[in-house]
Amino acid sequence: MSNEKKIPYKIYLEESEMPKAWYNLRADMKVKPAPLLNPGTGKPLTAEELSPIFCDELVAQELDDTTPFIEIPEEIREFYKMYRPSPLVRAYCLEKKLDTPAKIYYKFEGNNTSGSHKLNSAIAQAYYAKKQGLKGVTTETGAGQWGTALSMACSYFDLDCKVYMVKVSYEQKPFRREVMRTYGASVTPSPSTTTEVGKKILAEHPGTTGSLGCAISEAVEVATKNPGYRYVLGSVLNQVLLHQSVIGLEAKAALDKYDIKPDIVIGCAGGGSNLGGLIAPFMREKLRGEADYRIIAVEPASCPSFTRGTYAYDFCDTGMICPLAKMYTLGSSFIPSANHAGGLRFHGMSSTLSQLYHDGYMEATSVEQTSVFEAAEQFARVEGILPAPESSHAIRVAIDEALKCKETGEEKTIVFGLTGTGYFDLVAYEKFNNGEMSDYIPTDEEIAASIAKLPHVN
Amino acid sequence: MSNEKKIPYKIYLEESEMPKAWYNLRADMKVKPAPLLNPGTGKPLTAEELSPIFCDELVAQELDDTTPFIEIPEEIREFYKMYRPSPLVRAYCLEKKLDTPAKIYYKFEGNNTSGSHKLNSAIAQAYYAKKQGLKGVTTETGAGQWGTALSMACSYFDLDCKVYMVKVSYEQKPFRREVMRTYGASVTPSPSTTTEVGKKILAEHPGTTGSLGCAISEAVEVATKNPGYRYVLGSVLNQVLLHQSVIGLEAKAALDKYDIKPDIVIGCAGGGSNLGGLIAPFMREKLRGEADYRIIAVEPASCPSFTRGTYAYDFCDTGMICPLAKMYTLGSSFIPSANHAGGLRFHGMSSTLSQLYHDGYMEATSVEQTSVFEAAEQFARVEGILPAPESSHAIRVAIDEALKCKETGEEKTIVFGLTGTGYFDLVAYEKFNNGEMSDYIPTDEEIAASIAKLPHVN
């Protein structure tokens, strides 16, 4: 207990202690994640095939599964210093409220205007685009977290930024849209008449409010048809997990400063970018047999790719124009129930995390949204941060694990990722406050139906 | 330049370096601020008269103009550790963008869910209410920053929190309302039928959308009529400036660590809580003749109490039920133009700051809102923080001073207060992004008309 006193509420690294290289999880995996396939030929995609879509340097990072540490360019490290290191917070108040002997820490990524960890990869992708002499980048955004982060990054490097925002979000989340515009991005509701694919979809479904898959298709079309543009993506890809490793590297360095060894590491999982980043250095030790940790992925019960999906090749987008990736998937035609409030709506999961899960290196669990918002509220009231619904999935399981410790008397150390803030999710909080929130768990039949539509790939 | 390199982007204090006492500016003032008067008798208010409205300990702080340092209770210091120390940020990116030899620092108070510095006083006021064994507190809120902060503080101490929110804000800012509800506060649109004064106003003005003055009247009525309740206020009062001194004390400690002496200290000014807090330790040295600083208060051109008001006794509220305070005022009947987007709408200014301004210890300037949003956008794009419109008044003047340095070649050190974030002000940003924002400067006649209605006090 006297040792304990020394641990501050927030552990900050000095600038000199910040990571100078990202960690590439794949380098230490004995079984590598399956390669991306060309949907036309069924063969692994080459750098040449990927270069019209992504920046050259990012293509190299995407395909590199052998280099363990990749230097973070000086310019990106300078930008990181504006909002990083992010604090590793000891949740003293939550522990007290739960009356648990567990020690709870969270790595908080919400202290920047984009409100989430997404900026860690956005700035890297913008940097490489600038370095390649490009004019700009295109992307899609759903709720807007990724679009906001990318707008900030592009504004910093004076790059043009074209965001295709799912029409229903564009209309229902005008504030997200305005943040992006304040950062100078052009934001187009998708589907739009600015692309061939958009026009086609509008002709076929005149009243559609759009989907992420459609917005991806539009963004990719614009990137490939406009010289000097490339497409960027905020999750799922290996390059994104690589950039997000800064989360875990900082967290581990902060823990090491105080000789703290976590028993459990918990992260929410949609496409996997935050989870892959948070667990990276812990998984490294686990893969190398140097240490053991319980690593838990938490997904929404309404979109349970790890816990109820199948491990197979599938399209990354609903429009089926993107490469095929081997992953735990519910099928690219799966759409989570409209009553699902937060993000974490992707039908599949990062190939890297899928392989690790398949090989038994991590666990996965799913939680229902009402209990997620209960955890969010409990956390907010004692820890003073209004968490994003996505992050609150991890809070839910961290609280559950801490309560188990209360029963058993174990003093486990729990670390979880608090990926962002909920300032733009207050419509969902309002529903919860009014007792109008409900849960929806897809039936076996629903999941079987979308899985039946998986592409036939060996 | 080699010395410079050592200064990090963000200077954080260690927990052990955080202030253990608040600083009471009045103790070092040769000419003390004029006392609050009882509007009935015209005599200075006694502790006895104030105790039905405010907690006893806060009454003592309100009236104490001799004790320089007042210890911060342990419980409040623990709470501060959840979100403090706030960073003192070197605005390297802004300096580069402006190409100025000036060195710019800002103290950022937005890294907590209330989104502003208001939490520094809210937690103190909630603590003293709890300590006195009260059931709860009442308050008013306009835009909602103060109400949010108070809700968080009350939730932490398990106090009931009744917020009267100006009806037009209640309807137009549902997200602010939901944050407060998430923290367990009851939020009532004002005027309401829950109070006598509310009923009276509704009878007289059936379609009214409310005003801050009316909300204050309702909150005070509920506090005084319900045993176990007191009323709390987020600005203007001496006690609030005292609590907010933590901003300046931290900022000065961070500067002292690197032997930095600012030339100019800039803060936005509405009721004066942030400005009074930020400048406290600098003003102390100035009052004691130990150092000199240019201290600049920045107010909106649409509500210019310092620059165009008169120094006289006035009511603190439009309802005229609160004590009389001597201050720079536009008259309690003055209402800023509806086109004014941000906060800083109070008709008067803290008595303490008014006396200091009157005695020549600080300057004041006013800025128009379009130029404020231009500064906000410029800042956001390079510094990565979406600033609150209020804070952006200080950004505007900091940029202007830095540009003057560019002309003269002077390497001045500028410190300004970045009081909060603009996540709940995106309707205003949208107006600005769409080119629909305009400026309004009240005419001399308008100001003369409200000043003519000042109470007649010696």
Side-chain angles (χ1 to χ4, degrees), chain A residues 7-10 12 14-15 78-87 89 93 96-97 106 108 110-115 119 152 155-156 158 172 174-179 181-185 258 376-377 380-387 421 423-424 426-427 429-431 433-434, chain B residues 7-10 12 14-15 78-87 89 93 96-97 106 108 110-115 119 152 155-156 158 172 174-179 181-185 258 376-377 380-387 421 423-424 426-427 429-431 433-434:
Chain A
I7 299 168
Y9 276 70
K10 286 169 278 151
Y12 280 108
E14 301 289 326
E15 280 185 5
E78 283 301 303
F79 186 90
Y80 277 170
K81 285 179 193 168
M82 279 204 328
Y83 71 102
R84 311 198 65 82
S86 71
V89 186
C93 300
K96 196 175 153 195
K97 186 79 181 177
Y106 54 91
F108 180 42
N111 274 352
N112 69 73
T113 285
S114 82
L119 193 54
M152 287 178 66
S155 147
Y156 185 77
D158 272 327
Q172 288 181 357
F175 291 174
R176 274 281 186 207
R177 179 185 80 209
E178 291 309 322
V179 179
R181 290 181 68 204
T182 300
Y183 283 99
Y258 290 86
E377 186 190 83
R381 290 188 179 187
V382 291
E383 288 291 320
I385 294 170
L386 187 78
T421 49
Y423 296 115
F424 294 101
L426 282 156
V427 170
Y429 272 99
E430 181 174 11
K431 257 193 178 171
N433 290 335
N434 291 338
Chain B
I7 299 168
Y9 276 69
K10 284 167 281 148
Y12 279 108
E14 301 290 326
E15 280 185 6
E78 283 303 302
F79 186 89
Y80 278 169
K81 287 179 191 166
M82 281 202 329
Y83 72 101
R84 310 199 65 83
S86 71
V89 186
C93 299
K96 197 175 154 195
K97 187 79 182 176
Y106 55 91
F108 180 44
N111 273 350
N112 68 74
T113 286
S114 82
L119 193 53
M152 288 178 65
S155 148
Y156 184 77
D158 272 328
Q172 287 180 359
F175 290 175
R176 273 283 186 205
R177 180 185 77 209
E178 291 309 321
V179 178
R181 291 181 69 205
T182 300
Y183 283 99
Y258 290 87
E377 187 190 82
R381 290 188 179 186
V382 292
E383 289 291 320
I385 293 170
L386 187 78
T421 50
Y423 296 117
F424 294 100
L426 282 154
V427 169
Y429 272 99
E430 181 174 11
K431 257 195 178 169
N433 290 335
N434 291 339

Side-chain angles (χ1 to χ4, degrees), chain A residues 289-364:
Chain A
E290 296 165 355
D292 198 15
Y293 305 95
R294 263 188 82 196
I295 294 175
I296 308 176
V298 189
E299 53 187 20
S302 52
C303 192
S305 53
F306 264 150
T307 50
R308 297 177 66 197
T310 189
Y311 191 37
Y313 266 106
D314 194 7
F315 286 97
C316 288
D317 62 321
T318 353
M320 301 189 184
I321 60 167
C322 287
L324 295 167
K326 190 171 179 190
M327 55 186 178
Y328 278 85
T329 179
L330 298 162
S332 67
S333 63
F334 181 85
I335 295 175
S337 159
N339 105 328
H340 174 67
L344 312 179
R345 310 173 71 93
F346 190 60
H347 64 276
M349 184 62 66
S350 137
S351 290
T352 301
L353 295 182
S354 291
Q355 187 65 47
L356 288 166
Y357 178 63
H358 187 70
D359 293 342
Y361 284 101
M362 51 192 282
E363 306 166 31

Side-chain angles (χ1 to χ4, degrees), chain B residues 23-92:
Chain B
Y23 169 58
N24 182 6
L25 202 43
R26 290 164 292 164
D28 284 298
M29 289 169 68
K30 279 174 209 97
V31 183
K32 306 289 182 190
L36 293 173
L37 299 185
N38 180 322
T41 65
K43 298 255 168 72
L45 276 162
T46 62
E48 214 171 9
E49 288 172 306
L50 285 169
S51 69
I53 306 175
F54 300 121
C55 301
D56 298 346
E57 194 81 35
L58 293 167
V59 168
Q61 291 180 358
E62 190 62 33
L63 300 177
D64 183 346
D65 59 8
T66 55
T67 312
F69 289 95
I70 294 176
E71 197 191 330
I72 307 175
E74 177 67 25
E75 291 87 342
I76 297 174
R77 285 170 52 205
E78 283 303 302
F79 186 89
Y80 278 169
K81 287 179 191 166
M82 281 202 329
Y83 72 101
R84 310 199 65 83
S86 71
L88 181 76
V89 186
R90 174 74 184 264
Y92 281 118

Side-chain angles (χ1 to χ4, degrees), chain A residues 144-402:
Chain A
Q145 235 175 25
W146 166 246
T148 307
L150 189 68
S151 305
M152 287 178 66
C154 287
S155 147
Y156 185 77
F157 283 125
D158 272 327
L159 275 172
D160 186 37
C161 180
K162 296 185 194 300
V163 179
Y164 284 83
M165 186 170 188
V166 177
K167 191 183 273 174
V168 62
S169 291
Y170 182 91
E171 284 161 3
Q172 288 181 357
K173 295 205 165 186
F175 291 174
R176 274 281 186 207
R177 179 185 80 209
E178 291 309 322
V179 179
M180 291 185 254
R181 290 181 68 204
T182 300
Y183 283 99
S186 74
V187 187
T188 307
S190 168
S192 76
T193 54
T194 66
T195 65
E196 291 310 314
V197 65
K199 284 182 211 162
K200 188 163 165 255
I201 291 170
L202 281 171
E204 284 167 13
H205 309 92
T208 181
T209 55
S211 73
L212 209 52
C214 167
I216 294 178
S217 308
E218 291 206 276
V220 171
E221 180 183 319
V222 172
T224 49
K225 283 194 177 164
N226 284 281
Y229 281 81
R230 291 294 185 282
Y231 168 72
V232 296
L233 182 65
S235 188
V236 185
L237 297 174
N238 293 319
Q239 58 188 270
V240 179
L241 264 71
L242 175 73
H243 307 146
Q244 295 295 358
S245 69
V246 70
I247 304 172
L249 293 166
E250 278 187 10
K252 187 147 193 321
L255 292 167
D256 286 349
K257 266 180 101 158
Y258 290 86
D259 290 322
I260 304 159
K261 192 185 162 297
D263 299 290
I264 312 175
V265 182
I266 301 167
C268 62
S273 75
N274 140 72
L275 180 68
L278 174 68
I279 67 173
F282 304 101
M283 187 59 86
R284 175 172 187 262
E285 292 187 345
K286 198 163 172 168
L287 287 167
R288 296 160 66 92
E290 296 165 355
D292 198 15
Y293 305 95
R294 263 188 82 196
I295 294 175
I296 308 176
V298 189
E299 53 187 20
S302 52
C303 192
S305 53
F306 264 150
T307 50
R308 297 177 66 197
T310 189
Y311 191 37
Y313 266 106
D314 194 7
F315 286 97
C316 288
D317 62 321
T318 353
M320 301 189 184
I321 60 167
C322 287
L324 295 167
K326 190 171 179 190
M327 55 186 178
Y328 278 85
T329 179
L330 298 162
S332 67
S333 63
F334 181 85
I335 295 175
S337 159
N339 105 328
H340 174 67
L344 312 179
R345 310 173 71 93
F346 190 60
H347 64 276
M349 184 62 66
S350 137
S351 290
T352 301
L353 295 182
S354 291
Q355 187 65 47
L356 288 166
Y357 178 63
H358 187 70
D359 293 342
Y361 284 101
M362 51 192 282
E363 306 166 31
T365 187
S366 73
V367 288
E368 296 176 32
Q369 75 174 351
T370 306
S371 77
V372 165
F373 275 82
E374 279 162 8
E377 186 190 83
Q378 189 169 24
F379 180 85
R381 290 188 179 187
V382 291
E383 288 291 320
I385 294 170
L386 187 78
E390 296 82 358
S391 325
S392 304
H393 287 71
I395 298 175
R396 172 74 275 161
V397 173
I399 289 178
D400 291 344
E401 290 294 331

Side-chain angles (χ1 to χ4, degrees), chain A residues 116-139:
Chain A
S116 81
H117 67 292
K118 296 279 183 188
L119 193 54
N120 301 329
S121 183
I123 192 63
Q125 297 194 49
Y127 167 76
Y128 290 118
K130 186 72 182 178
K131 202 181 154 201
Q132 194 172 321
L134 298 177
K135 280 189 220 159
V137 294
T138 71
T139 199

